[in-house]
């Protein structure tokens, strides 16, 4: 895919990017960036999307007892929080690494009204770059970095090779540089054999690119009330 950066918000600090809280169809909230005309989640249901694509089709599908998870685009921490809840429920020791270029302030997360569970606050209040045990079954490392940069390295993260990858970048039309095959090659070599990558984007060009990198790709039914299809890629 062609590289171009003109859709990336041209700001150095997250707080300078205007973000509005918007309700989605399942009643849960998401963030909207007017400057990009882009949402953080599906407008058809933020919570439903996160549960279905990442927790159910990714985390729950992984045969690994103690999965190491990588999220590209940590954002509001909703995927991390729902994974923490599932890790505790099923007593699976889970190590989670979230990559994010523009960390969000807690004041913004509060406005989303996701949960009064104290773990959500812990997820956001813990230091960046360090590994932190949030609950008995969930350990988190948040990394502030530009995943699209050629200088990005997994050397700064503690969990590779990964068993599950949540690929949750903004859409290819909005951020084409995040959907470059070199980035998926970078992911591929840092994943275990049999590891899973899930993404909401089911575009043919993305599916073929994942295949060309070496993944076996399945098209799965999308979230209830949401997109028709999503993708799950397995490293053979
Ligand atoms: C679709 S949103 C992710 C939503 C998130 N998973 C959640 O549950 O809230 C995409 C995220 O990717 C982040 N992002 C954008 N460019 C990035 C980059 N070059 N490297 C890392 N993260 C980036 C955005 O700031 C945003 O938080």
């Amino acid at each position: 895919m062609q590289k171009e950066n003109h859709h990336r918000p041209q700001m150095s600090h997250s707080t300078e990017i205007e973000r509005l809280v918007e309700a989605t169809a399942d009643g849960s909230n998401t963030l909207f960036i007017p400057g990009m005309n882009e949402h953080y989640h599906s407008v058809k249901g933020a919570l439903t999307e996160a549960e279905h694509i990442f927790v159910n089709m990714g985390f729950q599908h992984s045969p690994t007892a103690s999965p190491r998870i990588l999220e590209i685009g940590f954002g509001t921490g909703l995927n991390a929080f729902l994974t923490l809840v599932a890790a505790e429920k099923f007593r699976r020791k889970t190590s989670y690494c979230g990559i994010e270029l523009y960390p969000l302030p807690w004041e913004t997360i509060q406005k989303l009204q996701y949960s009064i569970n104290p773990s959500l606050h812990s997820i956001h209040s813990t230091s960046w770059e360090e590994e932190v045990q949030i609950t008995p079954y969930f350990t988190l490392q948040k990394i502030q970095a530009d995943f699209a940069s050629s200088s990005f390295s997994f050397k700064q993260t503690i969990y590779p090779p990964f068993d599950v990858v949540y690929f949750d970048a903004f859409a290819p039309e909005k951020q084409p540089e995040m959907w470059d095959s070199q980035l998926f090659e970078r992911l591929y070599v840092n994943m275990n054999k049999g590891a899973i990558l899930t993404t909401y984007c089911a575009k043919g060009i993305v599916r073929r690119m994942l295949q060309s990198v070496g993944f076996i790709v399945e098209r799965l039914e999308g979230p209830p009330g949401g997109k028709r299809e999503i993708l799950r890629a397995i490293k053979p």
Side-chain angles (χ1 to χ4, degrees):
M1 242 173 259
Q2 203 186 0
K3 287 196 182 193
E4 37 181 342
N5 283 333
H6 60 271
H7 288 298
R8 189 182 299 202
Q10 296 297 307
M11 299 134 187
S12 53
H13 299 294
S14 175
T15 47
E16 293 169 13
I17 302 170
E18 187 190 9
R19 297 181 183 86
L20 308 174
V21 175
E22 276 192 13
T24 68
D26 67 1
S28 60
N29 290 324
T30 190
L31 293 174
F32 174 66
I33 302 185
M36 281 179 95
N37 189 25
E38 179 71 330
H39 291 89
Y40 273 58
H41 305 96
S42 165
V43 293
K44 297 190 174 157
L47 196 63
T48 311
E49 173 189 58
E51 281 277 7
H52 177 82
I53 303 173
F54 301 108
V55 180
N56 295 340
M57 299 298 140
F59 174 77
Q60 299 288 34
H61 190 72
S62 169
T64 313
S66 303
R68 293 159 176 260
I69 303 181
L70 172 71
E71 177 172 27
I72 303 299
F74 180 79
T76 66
L78 181 60
N79 293 337
F81 174 65
L82 295 173
T83 304
L84 174 152
V85 172
E88 291 300 317
K89 183 175 172 191
F90 297 104
R91 297 174 175 232
R92 288 172 77 187
K93 286 256 182 212
T94 301
S95 307
Y96 196 104
C97 177
I99 309 288
E100 174 58 57
L101 184 55
Y102 304 112
L104 294 168
W106 175 241
E107 299 74 63
T108 303
I109 305 300
Q110 274 180 310
K111 287 184 199 155
L112 291 162
Q113 300 182 315
Y114 281 150
S115 171
I116 49 166
N117 185 323
S119 300
L120 181 66
H121 182 252
S122 304
I123 281 175
H124 286 282
S125 60
T126 53
S127 311
W128 285 74
E129 323 307 328
E130 287 169 27
E131 180 188 22
V132 184
Q133 176 108 34
I134 307 285
T135 58
Y137 288 95
F138 190 86
T139 303
L140 176 67
Q141 186 190 33
K142 298 182 291 185
I143 302 275
Q144 183 172 12
D146 181 353
F147 186 64
S149 163
S150 56
S151 62
F152 179 90
S153 165
F154 279 110
K155 288 204 177 88
Q156 58 193 314
T157 71
I158 50 180
Y159 302 135
F162 297 99
D163 302 297
V164 181
V165 175
Y166 296 169
F167 195 84
D168 202 10
F170 288 129
E173 314 83 84
K174 306 290 171 163
Q175 245 196 328
E177 73 276 11
M178 291 294 277
W179 300 84
D180 187 272
S181 65
Q182 285 180 3
L183 302 194
F184 286 92
E185 278 160 22
R186 180 186 281 173
L187 291 172
Y188 188 89
V189 297
N190 283 286
M191 289 167 70
N192 275 320
K193 194 169 154 47
I196 296 167
L197 178 149
T198 54
T199 183
Y200 65 88
C201 181
K203 283 179 183 290
I205 189 167
V206 171
R207 181 166 46 85
R208 288 187 290 278
M209 191 235 316
L210 287 165
Q211 286 166 335
S212 72
V213 166
F215 289 104
I216 295 181
V217 187
E218 302 170 83
R219 281 187 287 192
L220 304 173
E221 211 174 298
K227 289 172 79 82
R228 264 193 316 130
E229 287 185 333
I230 62 164
L231 294 182
R232 179 164 60 201
I234 312 271
K235 178 171 172 173

